[in-house]
Amino acid sequence: MKFEDLGLLEQESIARGIPIVGAKKGKWLYDHIQIIQAQKILELGSANGYSGCILGSTGAELVTIELDPIIAREAVKNLAFYHIKARVLAGDAVAEVEKLARDQKNHHTFDFIFIDFAKKKYLSVLENCISLLTVGGYIVADNILFAGCANYKKRVQEHSQLQTELILFGLDGFAVSQKIRSH
């Protein structure tokens, strides 16, 4: 799948008021995913699957979590349409990430984690996301300049296991954190 293939889904999402990353941030994500060639990706906040299509564009195995069961079903359809290998979990991202982290016997690890759900909850998933991330893998958090993300932004910039860079897009941006050590 090419990034340009998502133009119609992007336009339809915007027209319907579905919160998506949009073209600029979407293209950055697409380019980054193409470079790192992650094999297992976790997404918190599926919406209708737009960003999941980007994340799964290289054939990676995608696990994506969406709170709203109706929009989660729409994500399933869109991901299937674009031939993305994905498992969509309908539920609260904080609880689902906690389950994944507790279930280490099944060796849940990810090369890339994209956080784009309730901004005030980013910090509450951080430690579990770090435990699920392979060394060298990335956590990318969207909307990092929003007020609700201030504590998360501060924590990832100071965290001993992470090396973090802020990528700005106008008045918004990503926190891109690479896991540099296990503990």
Side-chain angles (χ1 to χ4, degrees):
M1 185 202 82
K2 296 181 195 142
F3 180 71
E4 296 76 28
D5 296 341
L6 292 173
L8 187 60
L9 182 57
E10 177 192 352
Q11 291 170 3
E12 178 188 304
S13 301
I14 292 168
R16 291 177 50 210
I18 295 173
I20 60 168
V21 293
K24 284 184 182 175
K25 289 191 282 182
K27 181 70 169 119
W28 184 94
L29 266 180
Y30 179 82
D31 290 343
H32 198 71
I33 289 295
Q34 299 299 313
I35 292 166
I36 66 169
Q37 295 285 309
Q39 298 302 303
K40 289 186 75 181
I41 298 173
L42 175 63
E43 176 185 34
L44 311 183
S46 310
N48 65 347
Y50 175 82
S51 54
C53 290
I54 293 168
L55 297 170
S57 64
T58 60
E61 178 187 324
L62 173 68
V63 175
T64 183
I65 304 167
E66 174 56 43
L67 181 61
D68 183 332
I70 294 168
I71 200 119
R73 285 194 293 275
E74 190 174 329
V76 169
K77 289 178 188 169
N78 286 326
L79 292 160
F81 179 81
Y82 288 100
H83 308 288
I84 304 301
K85 292 187 292 190
R87 181 166 56 117
V88 179
L89 304 175
D92 175 67
V94 176
E96 294 299 327
V97 168
E98 193 173 296
K99 284 183 209 170
L100 289 170
R102 268 197 326 259
D103 191 17
Q104 286 298 330
K105 69 178 183 218
N106 287 324
H107 305 291
H108 292 292
T109 58
F110 298 91
D111 309 304
F112 191 93
I113 299 175
F114 184 56
I115 302 175
D116 188 15
F117 74 123
K119 309 311 170 220
K120 291 182 179 180
K121 293 185 178 183
Y122 281 21
L123 190 58
S124 62
V125 297
L126 180 61
E127 292 303 323
N128 282 328
C129 284
I130 292 170
S131 76
L132 290 167
L133 191 66
T134 57
V135 173
Y138 291 88
I139 298 173
V140 175
D142 192 16
N143 305 122
I144 202 62
L145 298 182
F146 284 30
C149 296
N151 290 337
Y152 176 91
K153 181 174 76 171
K154 184 178 190 309
R155 181 72 179 122
V156 295
Q157 290 178 306
E158 297 170 348
H159 202 289
S160 64
Q161 290 178 263
L162 302 174
Q163 183 174 339
T164 300
E165 173 184 7
L166 300 181
I167 308 291
L168 304 181
F169 297 91
L171 299 176
D172 194 8
F174 288 150
V176 179
S177 303
Q178 185 174 30
K179 184 173 179 178
I180 56 172
R181 65 179 60 88
S182 293
H183 290 3

